Amino acid sequence: MPERTTPFEWARYADATLAGLSVLIPVPFVDDAFEAFFRRRIPGAVARSRGRTLPGEVRAALDEEDAARRGGCATLPLRLTLGLLKRLSRKLLYFLTVKTATDRLSYYWYRASLVDHMLAAGHLESADSARVAHRAMDEVLASTSGPLPQVARQVVASARNVWPALRRARRGEEAEEVRRMRSQLEGHWGELAEHFSLVAARYDAAYARLRG
C-alpha cells in the first residue's frame, strides 16, 4: 500500500465539507443542487491538492458510479416527489435535517480521504480501475464506523450561517463560517488521520478482491 500523506490538507476536504453541509439549506431541491455541485468537485480538488489532474474518462466513470448509486434517471420522477415530501417534513423536524447532514458530511469526508488514497495507489489512472475503486469505496463505507460522525455532528451543530457561506463558496469566496469549520476539522485531525489509514487498508483489500 502506498504511504499516505498524514498532514492535514484542507484543499482535499473543503468541497466534501460544503457538500455535506448543503443539506442544511432550507429550500427543497436547492439543497440537492448545491450538494451535487460540491460533490462533483471532490475528485478534482483532491487531485489538484497533489498537483495532479484526473483524466476526463476517469471523472466520467466516477460520475457514472455516483448516478448508479442514486438510482439513475429512471427513478428521477419518483425520487423528486418523495424527496419533496421528505424535505418538507425534514424542515419542520430540524433534528432530522441535522442527522442527515451529519451522515452526509461523514460520508463526504470519507470519500475525499479515499479518493486521495485511490489517486496515490494508482487506481484512478483509467475508467475501468476507477469504477472498481468506486465500488470498493462504497462497499467499505457501508460498514465503516469510527470517530468521524461525532466530529461531523459537532460541525453541523455549530453551523449558523451555512446558506450565505455556501453561496459565497460557489462563487469561489471563503466565508468566516467556512474558515471556522476548517479549524474544527483540523483540530481533530490527529485522531482522524489514524482512522482514515485503517479505512484505507480495508479499501485496499476490497479493491484487490473486486479487481481479481
Side-chain angles (χ1 to χ4, degrees):
M1 181 179 71
E3 183 179 354
R4 289 182 53 81
T5 302
T6 54
F8 176 70
E9 290 284 350
W10 172 243
R12 294 174 190 165
Y13 296 91
D15 285 310
T17 303
L18 298 170
L21 293 176
S22 294
V23 176
L24 297 176
I25 295 175
V27 184
F29 304 124
V30 174
D31 53 357
D32 282 338
F34 270 69
E35 181 183 354
F37 174 79
F38 291 116
R39 181 185 69 242
R40 285 193 298 267
R41 299 202 317 184
I42 293 172
V46 172
R48 286 192 298 275
S49 76
R50 286 185 171 272
R52 304 268 298 276
T53 58
L54 292 178
E57 62 269 21
V58 168
R59 296 181 68 101
L62 294 176
D63 288 341
E64 288 171 8
E65 290 297 320
D66 281 338
R69 182 175 179 269
R70 286 167 174 76
C73 296
T75 61
L76 182 60
L78 178 61
R79 287 188 291 119
L80 289 177
T81 302
L82 295 178
L84 177 58
L85 295 175
K86 287 173 60 179
R87 281 165 173 72
L88 289 176
S89 298
R90 198 175 64 198
K91 303 311 176 184
L92 296 175
L93 302 173
Y94 189 71
F95 70 91
L96 292 179
T97 307
V98 171
K99 172 63 167 61
T100 301
T102 298
D103 292 344
R104 297 279 181 86
L105 185 55
S106 299
Y107 170 78
Y108 287 126
W109 280 344
Y110 276 124
R111 180 187 176 97
S113 175
L114 285 177
V115 167
D116 181 40
H117 181 71
M118 294 170 191
L119 192 70
H123 298 169
L124 298 181
E125 301 296 326
S126 70
D128 178 59
S129 61
R131 292 188 186 96
V132 177
H134 196 296
R135 291 165 193 162
M137 175 181 69
D138 282 346
E139 179 180 306
V140 168
L141 296 189
S143 60
T144 292
S145 60
L148 216 56
Q150 181 178 353
V151 177
R153 192 176 302 114
Q154 293 175 15
V155 172
V156 170
S158 65
R160 293 293 179 269
N161 301 301
V162 170
W163 181 216
L166 290 173
R167 284 184 293 179
R168 289 188 61 183
R170 190 159 181 167
R171 297 195 300 264
E173 305 169 2
E174 186 178 64
E176 178 59 34
E177 180 80 357
V178 175
R179 288 192 287 271
R180 186 175 56 76
M181 293 171 188
R182 170 181 180 168
S183 296
Q184 285 180 284
L185 182 57
E186 187 172 13
H188 290 278
W189 189 247
E191 58 181 306
L192 296 183
E194 182 177 355
H195 175 61
F196 282 148
S197 294
L198 295 175
V199 174
R202 291 182 57 211
Y203 160 84
D204 283 337
Y207 179 88
R209 176 172 47 78
L210 292 173
R211 191 70 170 174

